[in-house]
Amino acid sequence: MTDQAPVAYSGPERVLSGVQPSGALHLGNYLGALVKFTKLQHEMDTFIFVADLHAITVWQEPARLADQVREITAAYLASGLDPEKATIFPQSAVPAHAELAWIFNCVARLGWLDRMTQFKEKSGKHKERSSVGLYTYPVLQAADILLYKATRVPVGDDQRQHLELTRDIAAKFNHDFGAEGYFPLPEALTQGPGSRIMSLRDGSAKMSKSDPSDNSRLNLLDEPDLIAQKIRKAKTDPEPLPETLDELKGRPEAENLIGIYAALDGRSAEQVLAEFAGQGFGAFKPKLADLAVARLGPVGDQMRRLMADPAEIDKVLARGAERAREAAAPTLAEVRRQVGFWGA
Ligand code: TRP
């Protein structure tokens, strides 16, 4: 080997993630993101933000945006995020995100962004009518992460490619500006129960806020009756439940409902099957509905209580923003020096 091995990052581990304030949160967000954040805050220094800069890459009604930010914050708090432990803040309240994103726009290559599959999906047939922000969205995401030198990023599978891009940007920045080991190469945390929650209407599609059918998802703000009704209507097949996971293959709707039960109950899918093997969905669905109401009902209630007092939420966000600005300042100051800006 003639190349020198890159100097590894040696700073502390830090968790960072964010959710966009665009549309209602559902069971997939809850299990795949919020519950994970809540666990991680006990293990590591944790930064969780509301990605309003990302949200405006597609049109957001200005009169509603701040309330959407408060709603996501209420969901964070209702899921158990503790503002004393985790730093919770609105992305737009920390201008350093946008500043670092600009510098990273000059580090990332067009070819890298051209490969991003999420842009292709979101822009659809009308690429030329998409915002430039939507195209450079993953560069802003890299800035979100690297501004705090986060090493672990809990996200859905669909974000893996954005994390690869983040590592590419970190490595190129470190290389180009003679700062080997300066930025960490952060890792996506995509595993865990609840990381594959599918639509209640189609077991092969992810549960999504953009699905036109509201019956496809359980929203955190759905009332208990509606939760039970959506589970009653959930697509299934006529077979009884089998004894093993293997036998669920090829039955995506059945697999999904078992997975949801397991994630909500903190058990493995195998354990859930052991309990329900041989029973049909007529017996299983009411049990699942009871469990979903028992787990999600209190989260929705707590969100409604919190949202009734926006000033309290705003206090949490203002304090978090201050802490985030303090944590971000040294990175941005150093990057400005490394790039060679006047006065840095
Ligand atoms: N792109 C992420 C999503 O849609 C949201 C996001 C923005 C994010 N910036 C981030 C997630 C930084 C993790 C880290 O889910």
Side-chain angles (χ1 to χ4, degrees):
M1 287 242 299
T2 50
D3 278 350
Q4 261 182 306
V7 179
Y9 176 75
S10 60
E13 297 277 8
R14 192 175 254 178
V15 169
L16 175 137
S17 195
V19 172
Q20 290 191 57
S22 50
L25 289 178
H26 53 69
L27 179 70
N29 305 121
Y30 177 66
L31 294 172
L34 309 193
V35 171
K36 268 195 218 164
F37 302 166
T38 301
K39 288 212 180 95
L40 286 164
Q41 73 180 339
H42 301 292
E43 296 166 26
M44 272 174 242
D45 190 16
T46 296
F47 284 68
I48 302 293
F49 65 98
V50 186
D52 51 356
L53 297 178
H54 278 106
I56 64 161
T57 57
V58 298
W59 176 251
Q60 301 297 328
E61 204 49 54
R64 299 210 40 210
L65 188 55
D67 273 336
Q68 304 243 61
V69 169
R70 293 185 186 102
E71 186 174 320
I72 302 289
T73 308
Y76 286 161
L77 299 173
S79 310
L81 266 188
D82 174 358
E84 299 302 322
K85 284 204 151 66
T87 302
I88 304 169
F89 63 101
Q91 186 186 26
S92 63
V94 186
H97 288 247
E99 288 188 58
L100 187 60
W102 177 258
I103 294 169
F104 284 172
N105 271 327
C106 303
V107 173
R109 306 289 91 181
L110 271 182
W112 301 357
L113 284 185
D114 278 340
R115 286 195 286 274
M116 295 294 119
T117 53
Q118 195 165 71
F119 174 74
K120 288 177 201 166
E121 279 157 29
K122 287 194 182 174
S123 59
K125 289 192 206 94
H126 300 291
K127 179 169 174 266
E128 65 287 346
R129 276 193 250 156
S130 299
S131 72
V132 176
L134 188 66
Y135 185 70
T136 189
Y137 175 120
V139 175
L140 176 60
Q141 187 163 346
D144 300 336
I145 297 167
L146 295 173
L147 187 56
Y148 304 95
K149 299 188 179 172
T151 54
R152 310 280 175 122
V153 185
V155 280
D157 250 338
D158 60 334
Q159 298 295 312
R160 277 189 171 281
Q161 205 185 25
H162 292 167
L163 263 290
E164 277 162 33
L165 183 92
T166 301
R167 288 195 291 274
D168 288 343
I169 290 175
K172 185 165 161 59
F173 182 94
N174 289 351
H175 177 268
D176 289 359
F177 295 99
E180 291 300 346
Y182 180 68
F183 281 123
L185 306 186
E187 234 182 281
L189 303 179
T190 57
Q191 299 303 310
S195 52
R196 284 190 61 78
I197 303 295
M198 312 306 277
S199 156
L200 299 177
R201 312 294 306 165
D202 173 1
S204 64
K206 258 185 79 167
M207 186 175 284
S208 158
K209 45 189 162 191
S210 55
D211 192 315
S213 165
D214 192 57
N215 282 327
S216 70
R217 60 187 162 258
L218 300 178
N219 301 305
L220 290 186
L221 288 173
D222 285 348
E223 300 285 353
D225 284 355
L226 187 56
I227 294 178
Q229 188 194 94
K230 285 176 174 178
I231 291 176
R232 261 199 315 280
K233 287 189 180 159
K235 188 175 169 198
T236 47
D237 57 41
E239 302 296 318
L241 288 162
E243 277 173 26
T244 65
L245 270 186
D246 254 8
E247 296 167 90
L248 272 183
K249 289 275 168 292
R251 299 174 64 187
E253 284 80 19
E255 196 174 5
N256 185 36
L257 293 187
I258 293 292
I260 290 175
Y261 194 106
L264 284 173
D265 209 25
R267 288 197 277 166
S268 68
E270 286 88 346
Q271 285 170 320
V272 175
L273 280 180
E275 182 178 337
F276 292 101
Q279 301 189 28
F281 286 98
F284 176 72
K285 277 180 166 182
K287 296 271 173 49
L288 176 58
D290 288 347
L291 175 62
V293 167
R295 280 292 310 269
L296 297 183
V299 177
D301 288 345
Q302 178 66 359
M303 280 179 72
R304 275 181 281 271
R305 269 196 295 276
L306 289 163
M307 278 153 43
D309 190 358
E312 254 327 289
I313 298 183
D314 287 349
K315 265 193 222 161
V316 169
L317 289 174
R319 231 187 310 134
E322 202 177 316
R323 265 161 45 193
R325 281 191 295 264
E326 274 168 28
T331 313
L332 195 70
E334 197 155 7
V335 165
R336 288 173 54 89
R337 245 191 331 271
Q338 285 159 334
V339 172
F341 284 146
W342 175 87

